[in-house]
Amino acid sequence: MKNHIVSQMIIKRFADAINVFDAASGRIDLNKKPAKVFYQIDRLTPELETLLSTAIESRFANLLYGKLNDKHVVTLTREELYLIKRYLLMISVRMYSEEEFYATINSLKKNCDMYLMAHPEYRHLKRNDELNLTPKQLYETALRIYCEHADLNEMFDDPRLTLEMLCWARPFIDSYLAIWDAPEGMEYILSDCSMVSEYEGVHELTGGLDLSKFSYCYYKLLDEKDDLTKMFYADLLAKCQMMYENYNVFNLSSTRSLVLINPFFRMYFKQETMFVDEGKKQSLDKPDIWPSILQNKDLFDVPKNEYKSFIPGMFLMDDLFFYEVKTLTPDELVYINSMIIRMTHNIFGFNDVNAIKDSVDFAVWEQASLINGDFITLENKEDTIKFVEDMFNPNLMKLSRFCGESEKDRKTYPITLFEKVAHNMLIDFRENKYIYWYLLFAEDATRNHPNLSFLGSPDERIIKIKEAYKELWGKPYDK
């Protein structure tokens, strides 16, 4: 039985007949029917496939061909918003094999421990290891739980739920939605990796350390005097341990994507509030950092809302949310497409070759640049030869040739855009004073962490970090 990793309804929204690129072989297949691509045989049982289809996909299709097509503002009820999040949660699991999902979700043990520090009310949940679930059992149980509860909050009472399953779901529950359109004449690429994520620049530079949002929340937690506000920062810190990505992108069509944004970014729009004495609202400080490589803050705007209950803190399924559709610039679309290409497992698809030329050319240049190391200079003949070989050997270059010349209608330039992205990747690490505070606060870990070896020996890195701290804080570090 064919089980689609990418829903056929999404493929059809890209094209009646989609073009497919095989990243491993460089093969390009044109005009493939949606039923013939993005599938694996017998990944799901017929009964589970039917459940996913009836409980989620068929209902989501009504939104996909209805409200989610609205041009400028998309209005959703809370019930519809929950349906969207359940669909995205479902495909975040379905894009993995049973073994891949088993390994990935079980890698969250440390994150789960940290989440429990802020939310001890979930200590009663069993761990995956305690239940001795096989990869197949874990995979199917998670899918069933995520699909069967129309109200996302109801899953917390499901006796089958493990702590790891809860922590997998939390980013979908806690994040907020945005809708981003491709600019005119350009299109998204469709990947077999259904969820594509942007990580902090610090994450990219250090090989996996997510310090930007974490260090800010941790500093605020320790520095805050008000107990209720401290509790809020503790909760936000826990959420960032579950969702360390800045945002996750999910394609709806060749021109539209849904984006789940880390709740951290709500603070830039005075949305993180709590009810305190006599029903008053208290807003948190707007952060003085910006952790995203994507610099356009307008894209991260929160939706307006209309709550139907007059009781503070009570949410109803007919609450309304109004999403202003944002249009990306050509540079922003190419940057996101480069993430999609980079995170592709095996194949990606496209509709109009002319609409993805810039994205493919940038991905080729980015790939070659990163293979050769950050900020290559090409100062000697050997470096130049290696760069040219790396640039023109990859299979992706076959697709670039297939796209043809794009100089006449080019909307972005690979070298200029790569320099911009590299700068944006570095800027938070250079200017975020909380990162340097945290690295000195946790000095022993900083000295010994292998991901910080690029800063030199243990003594050298502490000296450099103290210098950066003094420059950013205007005073020497004093623990």
Side-chain angles (χ1 to χ4, degrees):
M1 179 181 179
K2 288 183 180 179
N3 302 129
H4 276 79
I5 304 168
V6 179
S7 297
Q8 287 192 67
M9 61 181 171
I10 299 296
I11 305 172
K12 291 175 182 177
R13 295 288 290 166
F14 263 74
D16 293 331
I18 194 167
N19 307 305
V20 176
F21 174 76
D22 187 310
S25 66
R27 177 177 173 176
I28 303 168
D29 289 318
L30 301 180
N31 300 320
K32 301 287 288 185
K33 293 182 178 180
K36 301 289 187 181
V37 293
F38 292 107
Y39 71 87
Q40 290 190 351
I41 300 296
D42 295 334
R43 174 170 280 194
L44 303 174
T45 65
E47 185 269 334
L48 185 55
E49 175 78 25
T50 299
L51 173 64
L52 300 185
S53 176
T54 56
I56 296 209
E57 288 189 294
S58 60
R59 298 178 183 180
F60 179 79
N62 293 329
L63 288 176
L64 181 64
Y65 289 94
K67 285 187 174 184
L68 289 176
N69 271 323
D70 290 350
K71 191 170 183 180
H72 300 296
V73 177
V74 173
T75 302
L76 299 172
T77 65
R78 185 178 298 277
E79 183 177 14
E80 292 166 337
L81 176 60
Y82 281 178
L83 173 60
I84 290 172
K85 289 191 172 186
R86 288 166 60 215
Y87 170 77
L88 300 181
L89 181 54
M90 179 269 290
I91 64 174
S92 80
V93 177
R94 196 176 61 182
M95 72 181 188
Y96 291 102
S97 68
E98 293 171 356
E99 291 74 17
E100 289 168 341
F101 180 70
Y102 185 87
T104 305
I105 195 171
N106 282 330
S107 70
L108 297 176
K109 292 176 182 177
K110 184 177 178 181
N111 305 71
C112 292
D113 290 338
M114 298 191 69
Y115 188 75
L116 284 180
M117 293 175 65
H119 291 280
E121 66 269 24
Y122 294 121
R123 290 192 180 277
H124 68 282
L125 293 177
K126 291 186 179 298
R127 299 293 187 105
N128 288 341
D129 291 345
E130 294 179 68
L131 298 179
N132 294 317
L133 297 173
T134 65
K136 181 178 182 63
Q137 290 171 329
L138 180 61
Y139 186 78
E140 293 190 355
T141 301
L143 280 174
R144 290 178 188 279
I145 292 173
Y146 298 154
C147 289
E148 290 173 358
H149 298 289
D151 185 336
L152 289 172
N153 296 301
E154 291 177 355
M155 77 171 65
F156 303 150
D157 298 322
D158 193 309
R160 299 168 297 176
L161 185 73
T162 65
L163 183 61
E164 287 85 358
M165 292 179 197
L166 168 70
C167 290
W168 185 279
R170 286 271 25 145
F172 296 84
I173 297 170
D174 297 330
S175 58
Y176 63 99
L177 191 67
I179 302 173
W180 294 351
D181 277 1
E184 185 176 356
M186 303 182 76
E187 293 182 352
Y188 284 107
I189 288 167
L190 180 65
S191 173
D192 59 3
C193 180
S194 300
M195 182 177 73
V196 175
S197 308
E198 185 200 76
Y199 300 93
E200 297 172 0
V202 180
H203 176 107
E204 303 291 352
L205 292 168
T206 61
L209 295 184
D210 300 281
L211 298 173
S212 184
K213 299 184 292 290
F214 174 84
S215 62
Y216 176 87
C217 292
Y218 196 25
Y219 178 86
K220 289 292 188 178
L221 173 62
L222 298 184
D223 188 58
E224 181 59 51
K225 301 298 187 289
D226 179 77
D227 288 340
L228 285 174
T229 306
K230 286 177 76 75
M231 288 174 59
F232 191 88
Y233 278 120
D235 176 59
L236 187 57
L237 183 64
K239 289 176 179 176
C240 287
Q241 288 303 294
M242 293 299 99
M243 184 182 184
Y244 37 84
E245 308 99 307
N246 290 325
Y247 54 85
N248 297 312
V249 179
F250 303 82
N251 290 135
L252 288 184
S253 71
S254 59
T255 57
R256 178 162 290 187
S257 67
L258 290 178
V259 185
L260 289 182
I261 300 178
N262 191 301
F264 181 91
F265 291 90
R266 286 183 179 275
M267 289 191 291
Y268 295 92
F269 306 97
K270 297 183 179 179
Q271 287 293 300
E272 292 289 15
T273 60
M274 66 187 75
F275 290 94
V276 291
D277 298 336
E278 299 177 357
K280 295 179 181 178
K281 286 186 178 181
Q282 179 174 339
S283 297
L284 297 183
D285 295 335
K286 181 179 178 180
D288 53 351
I289 64 168
W290 183 253
S292 176
I293 298 170
L294 198 60
Q295 294 292 300
N296 184 355
K297 295 180 176 62
D298 184 57
L299 295 175
F300 294 76
D301 199 2
V302 297
K304 295 180 174 58
N305 54 60
E306 182 181 309
Y307 294 145
K308 299 300 183 178
S309 173
F310 295 102
I311 301 174
M314 177 177 285
F315 303 134
L316 301 176
M317 285 301 197
D318 57 351
D319 292 338
L320 295 176
F321 300 86
F322 307 95
Y323 297 91
E324 182 183 348
V325 177
K326 308 289 185 178
T327 300
L328 301 172
T329 66
D331 278 0
E332 290 164 349
L333 186 278
V334 167
Y335 164 65
I336 290 173
N337 270 344
S338 74
M339 292 195 297
I340 294 174
I341 292 173
R342 196 184 328 131
M343 295 182 186
T344 291
H345 297 148
N346 299 301
I347 64 171
F348 62 79
F350 57 94
N351 175 39
D352 180 1
V353 67
N354 294 309
I356 65 162
K357 283 181 179 180
D358 284 17
S359 296
V360 174
D361 287 349
F362 175 75
V364 170
W365 179 267
E366 179 186 53
Q367 185 181 84
S369 299
L370 293 176
I371 287 173
N372 282 276
D374 293 332
F375 314 111
I376 54 172
T377 59
L378 307 184
E379 290 179 348
N380 56 57
K381 182 177 180 180
E382 289 74 18
D383 285 346
T384 304
I385 291 173
K386 185 177 186 306
F387 179 82
V388 172
E389 288 176 344
D390 285 335
M391 186 171 183
F392 287 93
N393 281 342
N395 288 321
L396 190 59
M397 193 63 206
K398 297 178 182 178
L399 181 58
S400 179
R401 292 193 185 101
F402 177 78
C403 289
E405 296 296 328
S406 58
E407 296 305 321
K408 293 181 180 179
D409 54 356
R410 182 180 292 281
K411 296 179 175 63
T412 66
Y413 292 87
I415 299 176
T416 304
L417 181 54
F418 182 78
E419 290 174 350
K420 181 190 293 186
V421 171
H423 171 76
N424 292 347
M425 191 180 296
L426 274 171
I427 191 170
D428 187 54
F429 185 69
R430 287 172 170 166
E431 298 181 1
N432 188 336
K433 62 183 183 181
Y434 305 100
I435 292 175
Y436 298 97
W437 165 82
Y438 177 74
L439 290 174
L440 293 174
F441 180 82
E443 183 175 331
D444 289 343
T446 300
R447 284 179 171 276
N448 298 312
H449 207 295
N451 295 53
L452 297 172
S453 59
F454 70 95
L455 291 173
S457 68
D459 286 341
E460 289 173 336
R461 69 183 70 167
I462 294 301
I463 291 172
K464 290 178 181 177
I465 293 168
K466 284 185 175 179
E467 289 174 349
Y469 178 96
K470 184 177 181 181
E471 180 179 349
L472 292 171
W473 287 88
K475 60 181 179 181
Y477 176 74
D478 183 4
K479 194 169 186 176

